[in-house]
Amino acid sequence: MRLINGYIENFGTIKETEISFSGGITEFCRENGYGKTTLATFLKAMFYGLPAARKNQKFNDRMHFYPFHGGKFGGSLTFEKGGKQYRIERFFDKGSGAKDTFAVYCGGTPTEEFGPEIGKELFGLDEEAFMRTIFITAEQITMRSNGSISAKLNNYVDHTDEVNNFDTAKEILDKARKNLKPDRGNGGLISGQQDTIRELNQQIENLNRISDALGGKYERSEELRKEIAGLEVQEKQIRDRSVLLQKWENYDGRVAAYQKERQDRDALLKQYPQGIPTTEETEQMQAAWNQMTVLRANREAAAFDAGKQNRLEELADVFAEGYPDDIRLEQEAAKISDIERLGYEIGSLQAQKPAERQQKLAERFDGHAPSDEVKKNIEKNVRAYQEAEAAWRSANHKAEEAALQQPEPKKGGKALLFGVLAAALLIAGGIFTLGTRTQAGVALLVAGLLLLFGIGFYYILGRVRAITAVRPDRTDENLQQLRQQMEESRMLVKQLLVPYGYEVENVETDAAFFRKDAEEYEEFLRHRKETAAVLREKEDACRQLKTEAAAFLKQYGLSADDFSRELQKLRSMRDEYLRLFREEKEAREKREQYAKQYQARLEDIQEILSAYGLELLPDLEGQLKRLETDRSECDRLKNSADTLEKQAEEYKREQGLSARPDGTVPDLREMEERLTDLRKKSAQIEREIAEDERELEKLEEKQNQLALAEETLEAYKKKHRIYRETIEALKTAEENLKEKYVAPVKTKFQHYADRIEAALGEKVTMDRDFRISFERGGENRGDGHLSAGQYTACALCFRLALIDNLYETEQPFIIMDDPFVNLDAQHMENVMKLVRLLAKEKQIIYFCCHESRKLKEA
Amino acid sequence: MKLIHCADIHLGSKMEARLPREKAEERKKEVRATFQRMVQYAAQEGVTAILLAGDVFDSDRPFKRDKEFFYSVVRNNPEIDFLYLRGNHDSLESYTEDDLENLKTFGKEWTTYTYGNVRITGIELAPENAASIYSTLELDPDRQNFVMLHGQADSSRGKDRIHIARLGGKQIDYLALGHIHSYSVNKLDDRGVYVYSGCLEGRGFDETGEKGFVLIETDGEIRHRFIPFACRTIEEVTVDISDTEDSYHAAQRVRAELSAAPDHMIRVNLTGEIAFDNDSLEKELEAYLAPEYYFVSVKDKTARKIDPDSLAGDVSLRGEFIRTVLQNETYSETERQQIIRAGLRALRGESVEG
């Protein structure tokens, strides 16, 4: 098979690129990053397609080479096979393989000669093996002497980096196998599990022994149970008989009990030959006694208090002559009230003092009212003064009137009128001319006004002079005389009034004051005299009343210090006396009544007792209690005897006591001891059974453990066998692999070794274990003596031999990815020779990144 | 009149489901409690007699405490008759000497108890009577005839076997059987049916499904119905986890397919071909499902998915190894799976122990 050309539409970084392949070497000398891997993957993808993108797969080829810039993902590849040209056209979906398109054309026409797995159909290998073999890198052929070609064979075909893949697997399995069972010794899981099983079997055997013994224990338990049951039946029979006898004894005891009660009652009744009072009577007597007790207590409680008695007697002495009744007390109270009132009034009168006015008047008049003579003189002189004054006034009036009747001078009247008119004219003229001739107008107006003011002033001055000109003539003789008289009268009045403290500025006024003061003082003196008379009268009356009140109080031994208090005391004493007197009487009456009732109850009791021939004893209470006790005991004994008799008969009936058995109860002690012993033994065996059963509960667990251990052992054994068989299968596989691939590889290697000889001048051979040797200087030398170049050439030959064998049907192209990068110039030259030689037989696509490693130019 | 037909109580039996010790103890208590509840149910329903068709006890020599429990239940329910026929498990020492009036037992010869028109006849199978029981059974055709036996319904006679055909035409209305732990009803002849009540409680994953007893009413025509009564059900589910990518997805699929009630005991069988290795898948799934059920057991019965076609082009040691194993006919299918799993792991450099 030979590649012709290819077209990469879009694949990874490569876009719309056409590639032509020559028949021998197609060489690409490009720098790193050009896309050698991309091109190689493209070629593989054309033959084998691309795996589907998977969610849990980080980055597979489909995802890796999906075009960076989008576009149709894929391309086409044309190759020649069997003289025909075919073109594969594949385009890929981004994720799913189902959406990929695939077609193969032959001579431009679609052909179904090949399916989508065209690679497998052409080369007979899966895609992994394909890539492993056709892609040759520097690392893959740079083998050193530390790794034999033999050991590498598997790795080439298995695509692993592990030098000894088979050995590792074998070691793992061997270790696991020996872990289960070592080749020597007794260790290992299988042996341990066998020990566990032995131990469990031993434990189960022990438990089974317990289980076997348990049967005997069950039997023994059953025997004991039966024996105990038999003895219990016997014991029950004896106990039943014993119980019956005990019941008869019980019945006899009951009969004796009620008979005893009856005997006791008869003995008691002997003390009462005429019979014993009935319960009702004893109750009556007891009730009467109770009442008596109460009556006695009441009588004692009703006794008059000694203190009160003493007080009553004291008061009786006070009122030996009789006690005052309320009327008398009220009379005395009224009298005392009068005394108090009079005392108050007397005090008030005595406390009265003259007022300030009265005191001043007393001082003015020196304690005596002015005499009537003085008062008459004053009045006479005052009247003289008044007359003189009146006469003067009349004369003066007449003089004034005469002066007023003289005519008033009438000069200047018309002048004034004219003046006013002139002023009016001037003002009017000024006003009229003011509009036409202002200055003249103003002058006229001012002149008019000034004239008017001047006239007014003159008129007023004239009137004042007229008034002041009217005056009487004080020098009139009559008037003078009258005036003299007035002064004389005034002086006389003054002489009379000055001793009483008057200034007498105005005769009439001061005389009036004297008149009034004198009258007021006289009235005061009269009133003071009347008050003194009243005071004397009241003091007499008060004294009389006090004498009477004191006499009244004295007859009851009371003092006259404080009439009201003493009278109140008297009233209290009288009231207390009356109250005590009444109380004493009531107490006396009550006690008499209680005494009567007490006697009546006593007679009631006596009546009942006498009916039974019983006398009243001094200790009546004790007598009654005994009677009641005896009566009650008598009744109790009767009731008790009746009840016990009834119970005894009921018991007899209930227990079915018809015939009294003979004999006595046998002694059960021996039987009880035997039963106790058997029960102990039974309990012991029960405990043992319980313990055994508890122990046997482990049996199931142990059996489970044993089953599990046996299963585990079986599993270990199976695993051991599986590991052993796996190791064997791996060995067989390795042998098969060698058998299948090694011999042909060796033959092919020799084929290429001949080319090496041609190229390098040294003969290389390979034995059946892939050990390489070469001839040098007539000696066969091992691969340890190979130079780097020789070794690379050998490795390349081995690889080519491998390819020849793997691809039996169709030889593929070979991609060399700068495989000789590690060789020096000398070795490079030799290897180049070899590659060029090989290219005659194979199509080689050669990548390098430096001119020095180009092939063609040579 | 009402009757209850039950069997195979197996008091004192060990639990077969490999339960942890605490749960095993709990289940034993539940077995006793369910029996007690059934008797309580009988008392409430006014049941006249309970037909115990064998294997009340799990052992010929039951533990004393189990016997005491059983006889205590009988003693304390005097209004109910307990017709106790011994089975193959409790054929020797199950009876006690206690004189319980309501405990009716059977023997090696036919024994009959009569309740009005109802006659209940039974016999305990033994080598000496295995052949003769068919000919010695005589029933009144005018009565309602119940027959109790314990054994495997079969077409031949023998130890613990009941020749069903030979009981046909014997005027049996209801053949109450014990021994098979699942409820079933089958026609005996034109007149009667033979019924296995099944056990009251399942004990292991071989006793799956609903368990209970049969309630029978005899007034007029005989009517009977199964009463599911177990306190928990044992269930077995098979889940195909093919195409699951890993144990997480496998667990999700199992969980999605389970519909059992939380108090059930579940056995999950994993089947199908899977492409991943996980030796601890059983334990992982058990741990995952444990909180949701009373008890979960998982059995991994899956196979490693291998595409023979893909192997053809695999020229590696791995491919050669798988081809070698697949071609070896001395291996069983399971062994092949195990060898391939171990080999592939080892080739990946992984430990094969786990």
Side-chain angles (χ1 to χ4, degrees):
Chain A
M1 197 208 77
R2 186 170 66 87
L3 296 178
I4 307 294
N5 57 48
Y7 176 74
I8 302 173
E9 181 95 28
N10 284 293
F11 202 88
T13 51
I14 305 175
K15 185 181 177 186
E16 295 171 359
T17 303
E18 205 163 325
I19 308 156
S20 293
F21 301 99
S22 63
I25 298 169
T26 305
E27 192 169 14
F28 295 91
C29 187
R30 302 278 196 280
E31 68 281 8
N32 275 332
Y34 165 72
K36 299 185 288 286
T37 308
T38 306
L39 181 59
T41 308
F42 172 77
L43 295 174
K44 183 200 78 173
M46 285 299 108
F47 286 109
Y48 287 95
L50 288 173
R54 287 193 179 175
K55 278 182 187 174
N56 55 355
Q57 203 168 351
K58 280 188 180 174
F59 226 51
N60 65 2
D61 281 353
R62 187 181 290 266
M63 293 153 87
H64 187 80
F65 293 103
Y66 187 78
F68 290 176
H69 311 292
K72 216 169 173 187
F73 178 23
S76 63
L77 184 70
T78 305
F79 65 91
E80 184 200 74
K81 179 180 181 296
K84 286 182 186 174
Q85 274 198 7
Y86 296 91
R87 181 162 57 87
I88 306 168
E89 207 174 271
R90 272 191 202 259
F91 288 99
F92 305 101
D93 180 63
K94 188 177 182 180
S96 168
K99 293 178 184 173
D100 293 348
T101 60
F102 166 80
V104 181
Y105 299 89
C106 181
T109 312
T111 176
E112 293 185 356
E113 228 176 302
F114 302 102
E117 294 191 332
I118 184 171
K120 231 174 181 179
E121 292 173 45
L122 281 169
F123 308 121
L125 287 182
D126 60 22
E127 64 177 291
E128 273 186 43
F130 174 76
M131 277 305 273
R132 288 202 299 269
T133 50
I134 67 157
F135 205 78
I136 300 170
T137 66
E139 287 174 0
Q140 288 170 328
I141 57 172
T142 309
M143 298 187 298
R144 305 303 308 165
S145 57
N146 60 349
S148 73
I149 289 173
S150 170
K152 283 285 182 183
L153 177 64
N154 287 341
N155 302 334
Y156 278 129
V157 294
D158 205 18
H159 189 55
T160 60
D161 292 332
E162 284 295 322
V163 174
N164 44 3
N165 192 4
F166 167 76
D167 291 340
T168 306
K170 186 173 170 295
E171 193 180 315
I172 288 168
L173 288 161
D174 232 16
K175 188 185 167 195
R177 184 181 64 80
K178 285 174 182 170
N179 195 26
L180 289 165
K181 188 178 177 185
D183 293 335
R184 285 187 293 275
N186 294 322
L189 292 170
I190 289 174
S191 175
Q193 203 62 21
Q194 283 166 339
D195 289 346
T196 304
I197 289 168
R198 266 193 296 279
E199 196 177 320
L200 283 167
N201 272 323
Q202 186 61 46
Q203 289 172 2
I204 289 167
E205 202 177 316
N206 290 340
L207 289 169
N208 281 332
R209 271 198 288 276
I210 291 172
S211 179
D212 292 344
L214 200 53
K217 287 179 181 175
Y218 284 149
E219 282 170 14
R220 178 67 186 136
S221 168
E222 191 59 25
E223 283 168 14
L224 285 168
R225 191 185 68 80
K226 283 178 184 170
E227 193 174 352
I228 289 167
L231 280 173
E232 280 174 345
V233 168
Q234 286 178 37
E235 188 196 28
K236 187 175 181 303
Q237 288 168 352
I238 293 168
R239 285 191 187 283
D240 287 349
R241 181 180 162 78
S242 169
V243 166
L244 186 61
L245 281 169
Q246 279 173 3
K247 284 177 182 173
W248 271 106
E249 278 176 20
N250 192 329
Y251 172 71
D252 292 345
R254 287 165 186 255
V255 170
Y258 76 72
Q259 285 174 347
K260 170 81 170 51
E261 299 289 76
R262 289 206 174 117
Q263 285 166 6
D264 289 350
R265 185 170 179 269
D266 293 344
L268 186 63
L269 286 172
K270 275 183 186 169
Q271 295 173 30
Y272 301 92
Q274 293 181 34
I276 188 166
T278 63
T279 304
E280 192 181 356
E281 285 166 339
T282 54
E283 284 172 0
Q284 279 175 9
M285 286 190 288
Q286 190 58 47
W289 172 251
N290 290 343
Q291 285 175 16
M292 284 166 69
T293 307
V294 173
L295 287 166
R296 189 168 56 232
N298 286 348
R299 196 177 64 180
E300 284 168 7
F304 194 62
D305 183 66
K308 285 182 178 179
Q309 184 64 41
N310 291 338
R311 180 61 179 157
L312 180 62
E313 285 167 8
E314 280 174 24
L315 291 169
D317 288 345
V318 171
F319 299 111
E321 299 303 322
Y323 57 83
D325 59 9
D326 286 343
I327 296 168
R328 182 62 196 278
L329 286 172
E330 287 305 313
Q331 284 171 353
E332 290 304 317
K335 204 178 281 179
I336 289 165
S337 179
D338 286 346
I339 290 168
E340 286 173 350
R341 180 181 52 76
L342 285 169
Y344 175 74
E345 286 173 358
I346 289 164
S348 296
L349 288 169
Q350 287 173 340
Q352 274 183 0
K353 285 181 180 174
E356 192 179 352
R357 167 76 179 158
Q358 288 165 342
Q359 281 182 347
K360 280 184 180 174
L361 287 172
E363 284 171 11
R364 186 179 289 275
F365 296 112
D366 195 21
H368 303 287
S371 63
D372 291 343
E373 190 183 352
V374 171
K375 286 190 283 187
K376 280 176 186 174
N377 275 341
I378 290 169
E379 287 302 317
K380 185 179 116 189
N381 288 311
V382 169
R383 268 193 310 275
Y385 176 80
Q386 285 172 333
E387 284 168 0
E389 190 188 23
W392 179 84
R393 282 188 191 275
S394 175
N396 191 50
H397 182 70
K398 282 175 185 171
E400 282 175 354
E401 279 182 345
L404 286 168
Q405 282 172 1
Q406 288 179 2
E408 196 175 338
K410 297 218 183 201
K411 58 179 181 179
K414 285 181 184 173
L416 281 171
L417 187 61
F418 283 124
V420 170
L421 284 170
L425 285 169
L426 283 169
I427 291 166
I431 292 165
F432 280 119
T433 56
L434 198 61
T436 54
R437 298 173 66 181
T438 309
Q439 285 181 341
V442 171
L444 286 172
L445 195 58
V446 171
L449 287 171
L450 286 172
L451 183 60
L452 193 60
F453 281 124
I455 293 164
F457 181 74
Y458 181 76
Y459 175 75
I460 291 163
L461 191 63
R463 288 305 296 168
V464 170
R465 277 177 184 165
I467 290 163
T468 54
V470 181
R471 289 282 186 266
D473 186 3
R474 306 279 186 223
T475 63
D476 190 337
E477 199 172 316
N478 190 31
L479 285 173
Q480 286 289 338
Q481 197 178 353
L482 289 170
R483 191 85 182 159
Q484 184 64 40
Q485 286 176 358
M486 278 173 62
E487 190 59 28
E488 285 174 357
S489 297
R490 194 183 70 85
M491 287 306 293
L492 285 171
V493 171
K494 191 174 178 179
Q495 282 174 358
L496 288 167
L497 288 177
V498 166
Y500 291 108
Y502 297 103
E503 296 295 326
V504 194
E505 294 292 330
N506 187 304
V507 174
E508 287 179 316
T509 307
D510 286 342
F513 278 130
F514 170 77
R515 211 178 295 128
K516 185 177 174 292
D517 289 347
E519 283 174 5
E520 195 174 334
Y521 187 61
E522 282 168 1
E523 180 60 30
F524 168 67
L525 290 176
R526 191 168 52 253
H527 178 258
R528 196 168 67 179
K529 194 177 175 183
E530 285 172 5
T531 303
V534 169
L535 180 61
R536 275 195 303 278
E537 191 183 332
K538 286 185 184 290
E539 283 173 344
D540 290 346
C542 186
R543 200 174 301 113
Q544 179 59 34
L545 286 170
K546 280 183 177 176
T547 306
E548 288 172 11
F552 173 72
L553 289 169
K554 191 180 178 184
Q555 63 180 310
Y556 300 109
L558 297 168
S559 73
D561 295 343
D562 185 334
F563 292 114
S564 290
R565 190 190 65 210
E566 292 302 305
L567 184 63
Q568 186 59 39
K569 196 172 171 186
L570 176 61
R571 189 189 295 275
S572 299
M573 284 164 63
R574 190 209 59 174
D575 290 348
E576 188 183 8
Y577 173 68
L578 289 175
R579 182 173 51 77
L580 289 172
F581 185 80
R582 196 167 51 249
E583 282 181 7
E584 191 275 339
K585 190 185 169 194
E586 284 172 4
R588 194 169 4 97
E589 286 170 356
K590 270 189 183 174
R591 285 168 62 201
E592 285 169 6
Q593 193 184 347
Y594 289 143
K596 268 186 198 170
Q597 289 173 353
Y598 184 88
Q599 188 57 35
R601 296 290 83 75
L602 187 63
E603 285 168 4
D604 290 346
I605 293 170
Q606 202 166 13
E607 190 183 346
I608 294 169
L609 289 175
S610 61
Y612 291 94
L614 296 169
E615 288 180 2
L616 194 66
L617 297 177
D619 180 13
L620 180 57
E621 187 182 8
Q623 187 182 12
L624 290 174
K625 273 189 182 166
R626 271 197 307 281
L627 263 176
E628 190 185 3
T629 307
D630 290 349
R631 171 74 264 169
S632 148
E633 181 63 6
C634 196
D635 291 347
R636 187 195 66 77
L637 287 167
K638 183 178 186 307
N639 291 337
S640 173
D642 292 348
T643 306
L644 287 170
E645 185 178 9
K646 194 178 169 188
Q647 286 175 346
E649 293 312 309
E650 271 180 18
Y651 178 80
K652 189 180 177 187
R653 192 169 54 254
E654 281 172 6
Q655 299 298 329
L657 302 178
S658 52
R660 190 185 293 268
D662 299 329
T664 55
V665 179
D667 190 356
L668 277 170
R669 271 178 301 181
E670 194 181 339
M671 187 175 283
E672 281 174 347
E673 280 172 11
R674 174 71 182 145
L675 264 173
T676 305
D677 181 49
L678 288 173
R679 281 177 184 138
K680 271 184 189 170
K681 284 177 179 168
S682 176
Q684 175 62 31
I685 201 92
E686 292 298 316
R687 272 198 301 277
E688 285 177 19
I689 287 170
E691 279 172 21
D692 287 352
E693 287 186 352
R694 209 162 30 247
E695 193 63 22
L696 284 174
E697 280 176 6
K698 295 175 187 168
L699 183 59
E700 181 180 338
E701 190 188 354
K702 295 294 172 194
Q703 284 170 336
N704 280 341
Q705 286 174 356
L706 177 63
L708 190 66
E710 284 171 346
E711 274 180 22
T712 308
L713 177 64
E714 199 52 41
Y716 285 163
K717 284 178 177 174
K718 200 178 271 181
K719 271 187 182 177
H720 186 263
R721 186 174 118 75
I722 293 297
Y723 296 154
R724 200 181 59 222
E725 291 299 325
T726 307
I727 293 166
E728 289 306 312
L730 276 173
K731 282 181 183 170
T732 307
E734 195 207 29
E735 288 298 322
N736 287 346
L737 206 61
K738 279 183 181 172
E739 207 55 44
K740 201 179 285 181
Y741 300 112
V742 173
V745 166
K746 190 182 165 192
T747 309
K748 282 288 176 186
F749 180 85
Q750 204 54 58
H751 166 74
Y752 290 108
D754 292 343
R755 302 294 186 276
I756 291 171
E757 190 179 0
L760 306 180
E762 287 177 336
K763 185 174 178 60
V764 180
T765 56
M766 178 186 275
D767 67 14
R768 67 176 302 277
D769 290 327
F770 293 114
R771 281 195 293 271
I772 293 170
S773 59
F774 65 96
E775 285 181 15
R776 185 176 289 171
E779 285 185 29
N780 217 22
R781 295 173 185 265
D783 59 3
H785 296 277
L786 288 174
S787 68
Q790 288 166 332
Y791 210 97
T792 301
C794 288
L796 182 61
C797 289
F798 177 76
R799 188 63 179 252
L800 293 170
L802 192 66
I803 289 169
D804 287 348
N805 277 287
L806 286 173
Y807 299 92
E808 290 171 354
T809 51
E810 194 71 37
Q811 287 288 319
F813 48 90
I814 296 167
I815 299 171
M816 291 188 176
D817 185 8
D818 218 353
F820 311 119
V821 69
N822 297 322
L823 296 183
D824 57 22
Q826 179 61 43
H827 285 110
M828 184 66 200
E829 183 59 31
N830 290 335
V831 171
M832 279 179 188
K833 283 182 195 170
L834 177 62
V835 173
R836 277 197 289 273
L837 204 61
L838 291 172
K840 289 175 183 172
E841 299 171 8
K842 296 189 186 299
Q843 186 177 27
I844 296 170
I845 300 160
Y846 180 83
F847 291 96
C848 67
C849 55
H850 197 267
E851 290 291 321
S852 62
R853 290 194 293 278
K854 285 180 78 173
L855 301 171
K856 282 185 172 178
E857 285 76 5
Chain B
M1 186 174 78
K2 287 180 182 174
L3 302 169
I4 276 179
H5 162 209
C6 69
D8 300 290
I9 315 297
H10 286 278
L11 292 171
S13 166
K14 71 173 194 174
M15 292 295 127
E16 304 290 349
R18 293 280 174 83
L19 294 171
R21 186 175 177 179
E22 296 76 20
K23 279 207 163 78
E25 287 303 314
E26 190 179 19
R27 283 295 293 149
K28 282 181 188 176
K29 286 174 188 164
E30 285 176 355
V31 168
R32 291 152 70 107
T34 303
F35 175 69
Q36 206 167 340
R37 275 195 304 119
M38 184 194 73
V39 175
Q40 197 178 334
Y41 173 91
Q44 284 167 357
E45 290 289 318
V47 168
T48 305
I50 295 174
L51 281 56
L52 298 159
D55 289 355
V56 166
F57 298 102
D58 190 61
S59 159
D60 275 340
R61 200 171 59 212
F63 276 2
K64 196 169 180 350
R65 60 167 188 207
D66 291 324
K67 285 172 75 172
E68 281 173 356
F69 163 74
F70 174 71
Y71 288 106
S72 173
V73 172
V74 174
R75 192 179 301 110
N76 286 293
N77 290 277
E79 72 283 2
I80 300 170
D81 276 357
F82 290 81
L83 276 64
Y84 174 21
L85 179 123
R86 292 181 294 192
N88 58 316
H89 275 268
D90 54 354
S91 59
L92 294 177
E93 297 176 21
S94 302
Y95 292 164
T96 68
E97 296 302 320
D98 285 341
D99 186 17
L100 294 168
E101 284 186 8
N102 62 328
L103 180 69
K104 316 288 184 191
T105 58
F106 299 86
K108 302 290 183 285
E109 293 179 356
W110 289 105
T111 307
T112 301
Y113 296 97
T114 304
Y115 297 88
N117 192 43
V118 173
R119 289 190 136 200
I120 302 169
T121 305
I123 193 166
E124 291 170 353
L125 291 178
E128 59 267 32
N129 64 13
S132 63
I133 59 166
Y134 308 98
S135 57
T136 53
L137 178 62
E138 288 180 4
L139 299 170
D140 183 348
D142 297 328
R143 302 271 192 163
Q144 288 182 329
N145 293 314
F146 286 76
V147 172
M148 291 173 66
L149 286 169
H150 184 90
Q152 171 80 47
D154 209 344
S155 55
S156 63
R157 297 176 301 184
K159 187 176 180 294
D160 298 333
R161 281 183 298 172
I162 300 164
H163 197 314
I164 289 294
R166 294 202 60 187
L167 288 171
K170 290 281 185 183
Q171 314 303 331
I172 297 171
D173 292 292
Y174 185 102
L175 177 56
L177 297 174
H179 192 59
I180 302 297
H181 289 192
S182 293
Y183 168 70
S184 67
V185 184
N186 289 287
K187 192 174 177 183
L188 179 67
D189 55 20
D190 290 342
R191 176 167 172 150
V193 289
Y194 66 98
V195 181
Y196 279 104
S197 65
C199 53
L200 267 182
E201 286 280 350
R203 293 168 299 161
F205 289 108
D206 56 340
E207 294 180 0
T208 57
E210 284 190 325
K211 303 297 173 193
F213 56 84
V214 181
L215 181 67
I216 307 159
E217 290 178 71
T218 62
D219 298 336
E221 195 179 339
I222 294 171
R223 297 181 304 282
H224 55 88
R225 62 193 162 98
F226 178 71
I227 309 288
F229 210 69
C231 73
R232 61 182 85 252
T233 306
I234 300 173
E235 203 171 320
E236 188 165 23
V237 183
T238 298
V239 182
D240 187 341
I241 58 167
S242 296
D243 302 328
T244 53
E245 293 171 25
D246 47 33
S247 51
Y248 170 78
H249 290 98
Q252 293 299 311
R253 180 172 295 177
V254 170
R255 196 169 181 276
E257 298 220 358
L258 290 180
S259 58
D263 58 349
H264 284 196
M265 289 169 61
I266 309 288
R267 159 64 57 78
V268 181
N269 293 314
L270 302 176
T271 59
E273 290 188 337
I274 54 173
F276 60 91
D277 283 338
N278 188 346
D279 285 348
S280 58
L281 187 59
E282 289 178 354
K283 288 194 170 16
E284 278 182 25
L285 273 174
E286 281 173 357
Y288 176 64
L289 297 169
E292 297 181 36
Y293 297 97
Y294 179 74
F295 179 70
V296 178
S297 162
V298 178
K299 292 289 169 198
D300 184 3
K301 298 177 180 176
T302 58
R304 169 80 185 188
K305 189 176 183 180
I306 296 166
D307 180 9
D309 293 339
S310 70
L311 289 173
D314 188 348
V315 295
S316 65
L317 177 60
R318 179 186 63 190
E320 192 60 35
F321 166 71
I322 293 171
R323 279 192 294 273
T324 303
V325 176
L326 290 178
Q327 285 162 12
N328 190 329
E329 292 179 357
T330 61
Y331 300 144
S332 69
E333 187 52 38
T334 310
E335 283 173 336
R336 273 196 198 99
Q337 291 295 332
Q338 288 169 341
I339 292 168
I340 289 171
R341 279 187 190 183
L344 292 182
R345 278 195 162 193
L347 283 170
R348 286 199 300 271
E350 294 170 5
S351 170
V352 293
E353 295 162 289

